[in-house]
Amino acid sequence: MITLGYDGKVAVITGAGGGLGRQHALFLASRGALIVVNDLGGAVDGAGSDASAAQKVVDEIRAAGGEAVANHDSVSTPEGGESIIKTAIDAYGRVDIVINNAGILRDKTF
């Protein structure tokens, strides 16, 4: 069986502080990718922010021997998006993969 590898590829993952985004980050890191863990750290209703969500995932990746940096900007503005990519460029010099996973669950009917 062939194992997919991402050695040295730089992956930006939005909404990576929990849920599917966290899983994407852990998986890619386990396969050698350098990860930018982006998460605003807001509540499920979109309120507030907490930098610890992204940092916890960064710490988890590093503890497993991977490489990652945190970013806490919001994807909801062009400036936030630019800052997320700037974090990748500053840390690793490029971007190879983007997983746009950020979102807010609004548990309501349409």
Side-chain angles (χ1 to χ4, degrees), residues 74-95:
S74 174
V75 299
S76 66
T77 66
E79 296 81 16
E82 287 176 21
S83 181
I84 296 165
I85 297 304
K86 184 177 183 327
T87 297
I89 300 298
D90 289 349
Y92 304 118
R94 67 181 194 279
V95 174

Side-chain angles (χ1 to χ4, degrees), residues 37-74:
V37 177
N38 165 260
D39 202 291
L40 184 60
V44 295
D45 67 356
S49 66
D50 181 359
S52 69
Q55 191 58 52
K56 285 179 185 175
V57 177
V58 167
D59 293 344
E60 191 172 357
I61 290 169
R62 289 179 179 168
E67 199 170 329
V69 295
N71 175 278
H72 312 105
D73 290 293
S74 174

